[in-house]
Amino acid sequence: MARARLTRELIVEAAATLLTESTDDITLAQLGEVLGVDPTAFYRHFRDKDALMRAVSDRILSAVTVDLPPPASDWRATVVEICRRLRAAHVGNPRLAELVRSGPPLNRNEFDLTERLLVELRAAGLKPKAATMAYHALIELTVGSAAIDAALAAEPPDARRQTYERWRSAYRLLDPAEYPTSVRLAGQLYQGDAEQRFQFALDCLLDGIAGHVPGSARST
Amino acid sequence: MARARLTRELIVEAAATLLTESTDDITLAQLGEVLGVDPTAFYRHFRDKDALMRAVSDRILSAVTVDLPPPASDWRATVVEICRRLRAAHVGNPRLAELVRSGPPLNRNEFDLTERLLVELRAAGLKPKAATMAYHALIELTVGSAAIDAALAAEPPDARRQTYERWRSAYRLLDPAEYPTSVRLAGQLYQGDAEQRFQFALDCLLDGIAGHVPGSARST
DNA sequence: GCGAATTGTCAATGTCGTTGACAATGAGCC
DNA sequence: GGCTCATTGTCAACGACATTGACAATTCGC
């Protein structure tokens, strides 16, 4: 009767599943239980919990760049798709997102992502400096949108709608003398899907970025 | 010799100081030591640590809307200033930012911030729907930029530059066959100040938002 | 098969948030 | 001043957690 044999892959797999199934932080005890193994067996394969989280985050990011349309077809559509996927990955894994934000794990998938974005931005006609600045801008917006939406995204759609409605009415019920504009626009806040709002933001940002293409109407 | 007497204000003050001085999470033991008091004395004034953090976050956000230029002077400059301050507040307090992100605390200072942004966006000529969408976009970018920069911002400037250089060289040292664009643009990545990069992103986003003003050249 | 490296198990440690029993303090009242 | 009583600091303890070191079972190179 062999004892359960672990591998890094098995552990990462189990951790990823556990993470996507709950918003809470993962515990080594849970991990051990799922794997049918003593919680501390884990330390034979990873230096500490942080190392595990890093490995899992890489696995999650792998979904961002797979099967993208070939380069040079439509740079803007490709950028939107990448950002959409990146956002989805962050929204689905808030605890990991926290890690990824705090500093590039500099994993293979992160490099793929950066390369692809830079390629597209260069294809759009941006100069090197503008391309990298635009890259940072896109990442910041995408990550921010995900961070804000992560908490709610875990809940079922109707609970989410209820929460949005609660927030709207918080603004609606303010003192109209002090907050006239908030009261008047309350109904429009948090309107629709969080992903639609992200789409709008991304469109605006890309419009602005397109303005930095040499020869475009509004380039400075 | 009276024992040290605590108040909510004293605790919030001490916690805020402690938080801005370190990136790490605050511990009740530290708090007790700073206040010269048993760590558990805290529980006579707050239900739990979470309640304390919420109180501190409100205090931090109060810096965002004070002493702004009067409305209707230059909407774009005012929006930039608000976003800059909001970003600074988040960057300086990563642990709190995490809380604020996850859902509007709906405090007085948060309402002030929203009202002021919406006023400016309406003054810019945006329709109600576009104004609220633009509001969300601005918040998402600002918060994202802060989240990414928070970890490094705590370190002294030269350590920060070193870290940026380390990241750049990680891209520079990639296989040129696989990552040609990353290698070529590595020197431009993470260039300059994080706040300058944010400025660029904000400018792009505001350009795009300005395009939604009815009558503007590129309005759809 | 034999010895050595791997790898799971178990007991223990340290940190942390939180709780409950207890004691010192201070305010109101006589 | 002395009583009552609520407030608030103190202390010991608990449970959850990550991590470590000693030990034992397994597996692999030879």
Side-chain angles (χ1 to χ4, degrees):
Chain A
M1 183 66 65
R3 290 185 292 183
R5 298 293 295 215
L6 295 180
T7 61
R8 286 177 67 96
E9 284 68 34
L10 272 177
I11 298 177
V12 169
E13 165 101 14
T17 313
L18 230 41
L19 267 170
T20 39
E21 278 173 1
S22 102
T23 40
D24 288 351
D25 219 339
I26 199 181
T27 136
L28 294 185
Q30 294 171 348
L31 195 55
E33 193 180 0
V34 166
L35 292 165
V37 114
D38 188 275
T40 65
F42 153 85
Y43 285 94
R44 299 295 174 188
H45 304 270
F46 290 91
R47 213 170 57 76
D48 55 15
K49 200 182 167 185
D50 206 64
L52 167 63
M53 299 303 261
R54 244 169 260 286
V56 183
S57 80
D58 185 43
R59 180 195 163 91
I60 302 276
L61 280 187
S62 68
V64 177
T65 47
V66 290
D67 295 330
L68 282 175
S73 50
D74 175 357
W75 73 269
R76 188 153 168 161
T78 306
V79 168
V80 167
E81 180 62 19
I82 293 176
C83 290
R84 240 215 297 230
R85 290 189 193 181
L86 180 58
R87 180 175 181 279
H90 276 242
V91 163
N93 303 84
R95 314 309 304 197
L96 289 183
E98 207 174 316
L99 256 185
V100 176
R101 272 197 296 273
S102 66
L106 302 177
N107 285 323
R108 159 152 204 111
N109 290 306
E110 179 113 10
F111 287 134
D112 285 352
L113 167 88
T114 302
E115 172 74 13
R116 195 57 201 277
L117 271 182
L118 289 177
V119 164
E120 298 297 332
L121 290 170
R122 287 288 279 153
L126 290 173
K127 295 213 190 79
K129 174 94 188 182
T132 52
M133 291 295 260
Y135 160 77
H136 288 300
L138 288 166
I139 297 291
E140 289 174 3
L141 174 65
T142 303
V143 159
S145 172
I148 289 179
D149 197 39
L152 260 85
E155 298 179 31
D158 47 336
R160 220 177 309 160
R161 267 190 293 273
Q162 272 186 335
T163 305
Y164 285 143
E165 180 48 36
R166 193 155 7 98
W167 291 350
R168 270 193 294 272
S169 66
Y171 285 100
R172 200 175 359 244
L173 297 175
L174 288 173
D175 176 12
E178 229 179 331
Y179 301 98
T181 311
S182 298
V183 172
R184 205 166 330 120
L185 299 190
Q188 304 284 342
L189 284 168
Y190 296 101
Q191 201 54 264
D193 201 331
E195 194 163 337
Q196 288 171 254
R197 297 197 293 271
F198 173 63
Q199 279 286 348
F200 177 89
L202 191 52
D203 270 344
C204 286
L205 182 58
L206 285 169
D207 284 347
I209 288 173
H212 281 75
V213 174
S216 94
R218 325 171 78 227
S219 72
T220 53
Chain B
M1 183 63 66
R3 289 186 291 184
R5 299 292 294 212
L6 294 181
T7 61
R8 286 178 68 96
E9 283 69 33
L10 272 177
I11 297 177
V12 169
E13 166 100 14
T17 312
L18 229 40
L19 266 170
T20 39
E21 278 172 2
S22 105
T23 41
D24 288 350
D25 219 341
I26 199 181
T27 137
L28 294 185
Q30 293 171 348
L31 196 55
E33 193 179 2
V34 167
L35 291 166
V37 115
D38 188 275
T40 64
F42 153 85
Y43 285 94
R44 300 293 173 188
H45 303 270
F46 290 91
R47 211 171 58 76
D48 55 14
K49 200 182 167 185
D50 206 66
L52 168 63
M53 299 304 259
R54 242 168 262 285
V56 183
S57 81
D58 186 42
R59 181 196 162 91
I60 303 278
L61 278 187
S62 68
V64 177
T65 47
V66 289
D67 295 332
L68 282 176
S73 50
D74 176 355
W75 73 270
R76 190 154 167 158
T78 306
V79 167
V80 167
E81 179 63 19
I82 293 176
C83 290
R84 241 219 293 234
R85 291 190 191 179
L86 179 58
R87 180 176 180 277
H90 276 242
V91 162
N93 304 84
R95 316 308 304 197
L96 289 184
E98 207 174 315
L99 257 185
V100 176
R101 273 197 294 273
S102 65
L106 302 178
N107 285 323
R108 159 153 204 112
N109 291 307
E110 180 115 9
F111 287 134
D112 285 353
L113 168 86
T114 303
E115 172 74 13
R116 195 57 201 277
L117 271 182
L118 289 177
V119 164
E120 298 297 332
L121 291 169
R122 287 289 279 152
L126 290 174
K127 294 215 192 78
K129 174 94 187 181
T132 52
M133 291 297 260
Y135 160 77
H136 287 300
L138 288 166
I139 297 291
E140 288 175 4
L141 175 65
T142 303
V143 160
S145 172
I148 289 179
D149 195 41
L152 261 85
E155 296 180 32
D158 48 335
R160 220 178 308 163
R161 268 191 291 273
Q162 272 186 334
T163 305
Y164 285 143
E165 181 48 36
R166 195 157 3 101
W167 291 352
R168 272 193 293 272
S169 66
Y171 285 100
R172 199 175 0 243
L173 297 174
L174 288 173
D175 176 11
E178 231 180 330
Y179 301 97
T181 311
S182 297
V183 172
R184 206 167 329 120
L185 300 189
Q188 304 284 342
L189 284 169
Y190 296 100
Q191 201 53 264
D193 201 333
E195 193 164 339
Q196 288 171 253
R197 298 198 292 273
F198 173 62
Q199 278 286 348
F200 177 87
L202 192 52
D203 269 345
C204 286
L205 182 57
L206 285 170
D207 284 347
I209 287 173
H212 280 74
V213 174
S216 95
R218 326 170 79 228
S219 72
T220 54

